[in-house]
Amino acid sequence: ISLFLTLYFAYYIPDKLELYLDNATKYADAKLIDRYNLPTSTKARFFHITIINKHKKKTAKNCKAYLISLKEKDNNNELLKAELPLKWMGYPTNITSVDIPPAGKVSFDAFYVIHNKPNELLLNAFVDYSEFLPKVQKNTKLIAIYKVTADGFKTKKDQFLITLSENLNNVSIEKI
């Protein structure tokens, strides 16, 4: 039995994706890029959520990240009109899905703010209809639910608290 359990846990890990905030990539300051992929003078702070593939042998293929709910914490008002597919950190804007190798990790853009407008929530979402994008331009706390899917893996959802503030250093995201 001992050998069986050792082999079982060594080679069989449920198909599991995990969302977490990695301190090394939790946020990054960068210049925005225009439609020609050239940097502009506008500085933004990008907040990221990292996904780790917990399987020891199986690649998470066709992995996609979505914002599926965005509510004001104070009044529970839903701000999202549709699920929004989100962009991967550091990947070109036309890459909608990624593969995550066994025990590998990759991050996506949860949201971003412009340095001189830090209480305005912005999203790197794959949409061509602006009405799908939530309009939040105030000091507030938001409850965001993100979803990650991958072929052959269970869908993973997690909640995060987003704090928007007029002070850039007080803008944050934390898992709840």
Side-chain angles (χ1 to χ4, degrees), residues 54-113:
K54 299 295 272 187
H55 200 284
K56 290 186 178 183
K57 295 202 172 260
K58 186 175 177 183
T59 296
K61 294 184 181 260
N62 196 29
C63 191
K64 296 179 181 177
Y66 301 87
L67 176 62
I68 63 170
S69 177
L70 185 67
K71 294 181 180 181
E72 294 180 271
K73 186 177 181 203
D74 292 341
N75 61 20
N76 216 27
N77 181 33
E78 179 63 58
L79 303 171
L80 210 58
K81 296 180 177 157
E83 285 188 10
L84 298 177
L86 299 173
K87 183 189 166 302
W88 298 100
M89 177 183 141
Y91 283 76
T93 56
N94 62 338
I95 304 294
T96 59
S97 68
V98 297
D99 293 347
I100 307 174
K105 61 184 180 177
V106 68
S107 299
F108 64 88
D109 294 344
F111 73 98
Y112 70 99
V113 296

